Amino acid sequence: MGLKCCLGGTTFHTLKIAVIPSSSYSSTFRPLSKTLTLGPLLLPRLHKLSSLPQLLPRALSAAPAIQATPSPNPDERVVKLQWKAAIDFKWIRDNKAAVAANVKNRNSNANLELVLELYERMLNVQKEVERLRAERNVVANKMKGKLEPSERQKLIEEGKILKEGLATLEEDLIAVTDELQQEAQRIPNMTHPDVPVGGEDCSVLRKVVGSPRMFRFPIKDHVQLGKDLDLIEFDAAAEVSGSKFYYLKNEAVLLEMALINWTISEVTRRGFTPLITPEIVRSSVVEKCGFQPRGENTQVYSIEGSDQCLIGTAEIPVGGIHMDSILAESALPLKYVAYSHCFRTEAGAAGTATRGLYRVHQFSKVEMFILCRPEESDSYHEELIGIEEHLFSSLGFHFKTLDMASVDLGAPAYRKFDIEAWMPGLGRFGEISSASSCTDYQSRRLGIRYRPEASSSSSPKKGKGNLAPTQFVHTLNATACAVPRMMICLLENFQQDDGSVIIPEPLRPFTGGLEVITPKSR
């Protein structure tokens, strides 16, 4: 099961566009204070009120929080509710040892002790708020009867003190809840018991398909092939857009379209609904999918002056399509195959290992996404990795499937399988896809539930009591085709000694029958 109380993730990080100085970013997203001083809990006759701790500013959209909004009437306080994940902090407290071990195994920066401390503070303030509300109600009821003027005035003064004290405590509750949510979003999902503990080198080999092609001529990498065949233009793109951008030309354009159309065709035949998604989303949706700012090496481009950002994967807009919904059990599973462009800063990526198309700022990708009942998520995870392996086998790739170790899991992932394909021009395996089960980690934040159908054996009840309680769906995602890395594999593995590149047979119906990319006559 997924961690019922977790809020956020830290693998996908928000970045300001270049016009925003990096210093602004670091000051805006600095970690919250590790301590929060609440005003003293009010006594029945308290005459001095504690001051409200100042709420910390947040950029773009609020993290899971309750935020106070000023009212036009100074005597009236209005509380505006921002989005909150369905957190079960009691579950965290009751399973402290397991959560702490998981945080350690995943090398997470979550501060579990602080989360539990803030939770206890919140409970204490809530109790005091409830007590004062009860006292205020008692005073209000007394004032409904016939009273002597002096007694009525005494009750008015008492009610005023209670009202002011309650307002201050409610603001204290907002502040501690806000910090509690901010800290809790650092806690990663729980981890599948079969996931190896450790760094990437501890990942377990699950499957190997094919073998490396033996070349009888000096091979080229995709950068040289792209230049010789007039397929890829890096230099002009760098002048126009900056480093890590590229133009595709000639047959490379047909090859990208073929990859996308072939992949969507193959996946839709397996019952997936095709989607083309928005490529700009609200930053709150990014957060609800478990992607959060962390440190200075960030991946998401945010749009200045708005609460929006560019997507780094179609997983985000697809995850949001059923946000705040209660689905019928009969509608599950929901399977989507989504095409989008993706935008990533690739902060810190440099060197020969990431040259050419391997790490770029903009690319096309086809993503699979499933929403299902909790008891079915393991089997659908196997289905996703099976689809990926079928796609890459059909294209004749040599690849290996890995059960990724705990430190390599993104915060939302309960378990993740990566596929790495052999790229002979680069002389190494390179990741071309991953398939992750996120259990209920994302759905608790996105508010996606389903209502189980009532069992025929259950006794009938009247009214709403006859409805089964809702449950959170499980979500899974998997890469069907990340075009640039697929392009690397195709160009490098199927190059010929005359400089041409053979197009794999499954793609030919989608390239207009083109079978070979040949050097252009000079």
Side-chain angles (χ1 to χ4, degrees), residues 51 58 86 128 133 141 205 209 246 249 277 283 335 348 378 392 407 410 448 456 472 495 506 518:
S51 60
R58 291 179 297 277
E128 192 65 13
R133 284 174 179 167
N141 288 331
L205 182 64
V209 174
Y246 60 96
K249 302 168 62 179
T277 74
S283 57
K335 300 180 178 181
D378 283 349
F392 307 141
V407 174
I448 309 175
S456 58
F472 289 99
Q495 60 182 298
T518 57

Side-chain angles (χ1 to χ4, degrees), residues 1 19 181 237 275-276 466:
M1 294 296 292
V19 293
Q181 294 256 349
L275 288 178
I276 293 179
N466 196 34

Side-chain angles (χ1 to χ4, degrees), residues 262-273 337 390-391 394:
W262 172 73
T263 301
I264 292 175
S265 175
E266 287 291 308
V267 178
T268 53
R269 284 196 294 163
R270 289 165 172 78
F272 286 69
T273 300
V337 55
H390 167 75
L391 292 172
S394 298

Side-chain angles (χ1 to χ4, degrees), residues 103-214:
V103 167
K104 179 180 179 182
N105 290 342
R106 295 175 71 140
N107 196 26
S108 169
N109 62 357
N111 188 336
L112 178 59
E113 292 298 331
L114 179 57
V115 169
L116 295 176
E117 177 188 340
L118 290 168
Y119 177 51
E120 291 304 317
R121 291 189 199 178
M122 184 187 72
L123 292 178
N124 290 334
V125 179
Q126 280 179 336
K127 289 178 183 178
E128 192 65 13
V129 165
E130 291 168 2
R131 186 182 66 78
L132 287 186
R133 284 174 179 167
E135 286 198 20
R136 184 185 61 179
N137 291 338
V138 170
V139 170
N141 288 331
K142 286 181 179 180
M143 292 183 67
K144 292 178 181 178
K146 292 182 179 181
L147 298 170
E148 294 293 329
S150 60
E151 183 65 21
R152 181 173 294 277
Q153 185 59 36
K154 181 179 178 182
L155 289 174
I156 289 173
E157 292 297 326
E158 186 175 358
K160 183 178 180 181
I161 291 173
L162 288 171
K163 179 181 178 182
E164 292 175 349
L166 184 59
T168 298
L169 269 184
E170 286 173 339
E171 290 175 339
D172 285 347
L173 183 59
I174 288 170
V176 71
T177 301
D178 186 49
E179 187 171 4
L180 174 59
Q181 294 256 349
Q182 291 276 4
E183 290 298 331
Q185 71 184 2
R186 302 173 186 271
I187 299 177
N189 199 353
M190 295 301 283
T191 306
H192 191 287
D194 292 341
V195 168
V197 175
E200 186 176 358
D201 56 344
C202 295
S203 299
V204 173
L205 182 64
R206 172 186 165 101
K207 188 176 186 179
V208 177
V209 174
S211 57
R213 178 186 168 191
M214 303 304 295

Side-chain angles (χ1 to χ4, degrees), residues 379-453:
S379 64
Y380 283 121
H381 199 190
E382 292 293 334
E383 178 179 328
L384 287 173
I385 194 67
I387 292 172
E388 290 178 326
E389 291 174 344
H390 167 75
L391 292 172
F392 307 141
S393 297
S394 298
L395 294 177
F397 293 167
H398 167 46
F399 62 85
K400 58 184 180 180
T401 305
L402 301 169
D403 191 351
M404 301 307 291
S406 58
V407 174
D408 196 62
L409 300 182
Y414 174 63
R415 191 178 196 181
K416 180 166 75 93
F417 299 125
D418 278 5
I419 292 181
E420 296 181 355
W422 179 246
M423 301 175 178
L426 297 182
R428 62 182 178 86
F429 284 95
E431 180 190 339
I432 58 171
S433 76
S434 64
S436 298
S437 170
C438 299
T439 62
D440 61 359
Y441 189 91
Q442 294 175 324
S443 61
R444 284 181 169 271
R445 309 178 74 201
L446 290 162
I448 309 175
R449 305 170 185 254
Y450 77 99
R451 191 179 299 281
E453 296 173 355

